[in-house]
Amino acid sequence: MGVTRQKHAKKIMGFYKHNFQFREPFQVLLDGTFCQAALRNKIQIREQLPGYLDGATQLCTTRCVIKELESLGKALYGAKLIAQSFQVRNCSHHKNPVSGSTCLLSMIEDGNPHHFFIATQDQELSNKVKRKPGIPLLFIIQNTMVLDKPSPKSLAFVQKLQTNQLVPEYQKQSIVELKEKEGLVKQEGEKRRKRKRAGGPNPLSCLKKKKKKTQEGQEPSAEKKKRRKRKRNR
């Protein structure tokens, strides 16, 4: 079962590496529910997760997640200690902390530019994560960590990319700027204008006509020379 699970994870990781440019070290954002589940099931996240994802990982969380665990008291004291051992990523809620789920969702906005994984046991948060393409989801089931298969949203996004139907807005803008920088836009306009102005007689045909005229002009002079010779002979 362990080998099958490893192959399953490797296949999914290949999908995210190839289509969404995920690279090591993999950044995994964990919330309090995942830390609590790991503690309850005696899972050593720091030791087991790199082997499961087949690459170096950076375990991280946010101040909002830690604040939420602190507010829940002694029941989640162990989960709070686990979360505090991770790297803390800056969020936009310094003065007004929000719930852990809201904070994690804010960290993956705008296309998940930092390539975060989300590790959670919160079903509502998981459903919201699945509505965004390109975000790997981790959860714990039956005492093991599981990397969820790509969501329908991620699969649809990749299919559009493969059929050249979708180009990210920032790429469109960069293409336009590059064309303007290289002067390609002006050149295209100039080519079109030249095509409109094209017309008139073919210069080669004109040259041929000139040659004919010279030949025709030479014929009378040759005839005159022949006549003069005949008269002299007489």
Side-chain angles (χ1 to χ4, degrees):
M1 183 63 71
V3 175
T4 303
R5 189 170 65 92
Q6 190 69 36
K7 286 183 178 179
H8 178 74
K10 188 175 182 179
K11 183 178 179 181
I12 296 171
M13 287 302 300
F15 173 84
Y16 285 108
K17 287 178 182 178
H18 179 71
N19 296 296
F20 294 97
Q21 290 74 52
F22 276 75
R23 296 290 181 268
E24 297 181 46
F26 305 121
Q27 297 192 80
V28 183
L29 271 175
L30 302 95
D31 71 352
T33 62
F34 193 90
C35 294
Q36 178 66 11
L39 181 64
R40 186 171 57 250
N41 292 284
K42 298 180 180 179
I43 294 174
Q44 301 295 325
I45 304 173
R46 197 179 298 277
E47 286 75 20
Q48 296 180 28
L49 193 56
Y52 179 57
L53 297 181
D54 193 27
T57 60
Q58 288 183 350
L59 304 178
C60 47
T61 190
T62 66
R63 290 184 178 87
C64 293
V65 170
I66 295 174
K67 287 284 185 184
E68 184 179 54
L69 289 170
E70 288 175 348
S71 66
L72 294 173
K74 294 181 179 180
L76 294 175
Y77 179 76
K80 183 194 74 170
L81 293 178
I82 293 173
Q84 286 177 334
S85 69
F86 302 148
Q87 297 180 23
V88 177
R89 292 287 182 266
N90 292 325
C91 62
S92 58
H93 316 111
H94 301 288
K95 296 181 179 179
N96 300 307
V98 297
S99 67
S101 59
T102 301
C103 186
L104 262 58
L105 281 174
S106 72
M107 298 292 285
I108 56 175
E109 287 180 349
D110 302 324
N112 192 21
H114 299 291
H115 299 94
F116 286 122
F117 289 65
I118 296 295
T120 182
Q121 297 295 103
D122 187 336
Q123 191 61 47
E124 184 178 354
L125 174 58
S126 297
N127 291 335
K128 290 179 180 178
V129 169
K130 290 178 182 179
R131 293 173 195 163
K132 300 177 181 291
I135 303 172
L137 185 64
L138 283 160
F139 56 88
I140 294 173
I141 186 171
Q142 296 180 354
N143 303 330
T144 57
M145 290 182 291
V146 176
L147 178 61
D148 198 15
K149 63 183 181 181
S151 66
K153 201 78 174 179
S154 294
L155 294 173
F157 183 90
V158 170
Q159 187 175 5
K160 287 181 180 179
L161 281 178
Q162 291 175 347
T163 54
N164 296 322
Q165 292 179 358
L166 180 63
V167 178
E169 288 299 325
Y170 71 91
Q171 287 188 6
K172 288 181 181 178
Q173 185 62 30
S174 63
I175 290 170
V176 172
E177 291 176 356
L178 182 61
K179 281 187 174 182
E180 291 178 352
K181 184 178 179 181
E182 297 296 331
L184 296 177
V185 177
K186 293 181 180 179
Q187 289 177 6
E188 288 175 1
E190 288 175 0
K191 286 179 181 179
R192 289 178 182 176
R193 288 178 185 175
K194 287 179 181 179
R195 286 177 184 174
K196 288 181 181 179
R197 290 177 182 175
N202 190 345
L204 295 176
S205 63
C206 293
L207 291 173
K208 288 180 181 178
K209 287 180 180 179
K210 288 180 180 179
K211 288 180 180 179
K212 287 181 180 178
K213 286 181 180 179
T214 54
Q215 289 174 359
E216 290 174 357
Q218 289 173 359
E219 285 177 0
S221 61
E223 289 179 359
K224 287 179 180 180
K225 289 179 179 178
K226 287 179 181 179
R227 287 175 185 176
R228 288 175 184 174
K229 288 180 180 179
R230 287 176 185 174
K231 287 179 181 181
R232 289 177 183 176
N233 292 328
R234 287 178 184 177

